């Protein structure tokens, strides 16, 4: 499964590559990384049918993760990629807004990578 991780934090790529080392080596997951909503849309324009799941931070400079979510759900309707939102602020407003815009799941930072792996593996089997 190809997963696009969208987050403006510089260490995210290294963190995911460390935490998913075994799954990447086994070919279970392939990760691509974008550091902004705009960059993610550009990536999707060229790799639309490859990306199965998107993990997006909500709070980023420029286009927020919520704006990105809205654009993804409008532009890529068939089949829509699964989008999981990630935020350091687990507040009810972001949660409700994410779900109303079509988010498939909502995670808070710091990420529980055991829980995330379980959720991703469940997506593979659904």
């Amino acid at each position: 499964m190809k997963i696009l991780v969208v987050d403006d934090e510089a260490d995210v790529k290294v963190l995911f590559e460390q935490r998913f080392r075994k799954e990447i080596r086994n070919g279970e997951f392939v990760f691509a990384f974008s550091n902004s909503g705009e960059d993610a849309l550009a990536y999707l324009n060229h790799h639309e049918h490859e990306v199965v799941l998107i993990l997006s931070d909500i709070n980023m400079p420029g286009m927020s993760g919520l704006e990105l979510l809205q654009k993804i759900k409008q532009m890529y309707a068939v089949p829509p990629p699964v989008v999981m939102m990630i935020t350091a602020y687990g507040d009810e407003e972001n949660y409700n807004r994410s779900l109303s815009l079509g988010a498939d799941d909502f995670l808070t930072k710091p990420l529980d990578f055991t829980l995330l792996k379980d959720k991703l593996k469940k997506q593979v089997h659904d």
Side-chain angles (χ1 to χ4, degrees):
M1 172 173 24
K2 186 153 196 180
I3 301 164
L4 176 61
V5 179
V6 187
D7 198 314
D8 60 315
E9 291 183 29
D11 60 346
V12 165
K13 183 175 192 263
V14 172
L15 185 62
F16 271 80
E17 288 173 343
Q18 287 173 344
R19 297 296 182 112
F20 287 93
R21 184 178 297 127
K22 185 176 124 198
E23 291 82 0
I24 292 169
R25 192 173 50 241
N26 294 342
E28 197 172 342
F29 298 128
V30 175
F31 287 95
F33 298 89
S34 293
N35 60 6
S36 69
E38 295 86 352
D39 187 42
L41 287 178
Y43 183 88
L44 288 170
N45 284 335
H46 292 95
H47 300 70
E48 168 182 354
H49 298 293
E50 296 173 22
V51 177
V52 176
L53 191 138
I54 299 165
L55 288 168
S56 177
D57 188 18
I58 289 179
N59 298 303
M60 297 182 287
M63 182 187 300
S64 75
L66 294 173
E67 292 169 301
L68 173 63
L69 170 63
Q70 193 169 17
K71 289 182 183 297
I72 288 169
K73 292 297 183 174
Q74 289 169 350
M75 295 167 63
Y76 304 100
V78 185
V82 172
V83 181
M84 294 181 180
M85 303 306 294
I86 302 170
T87 184
Y89 311 99
D91 65 279
E92 198 170 327
E93 183 182 335
N94 273 333
Y95 176 79
N96 290 333
R97 183 109 194 276
S98 295
L99 294 181
S100 73
L101 291 172
D104 298 283
D105 208 338
F106 189 86
L107 306 164
T108 54
K109 290 181 179 178
L111 281 175
D112 176 341
F113 279 93
T114 303
L115 175 66
L116 178 57
K117 281 182 189 184
D118 289 345
K119 287 177 181 274
L120 294 178
K121 287 178 181 184
K122 184 179 183 300
Q123 288 296 324
V124 169
H125 300 293
D126 279 354

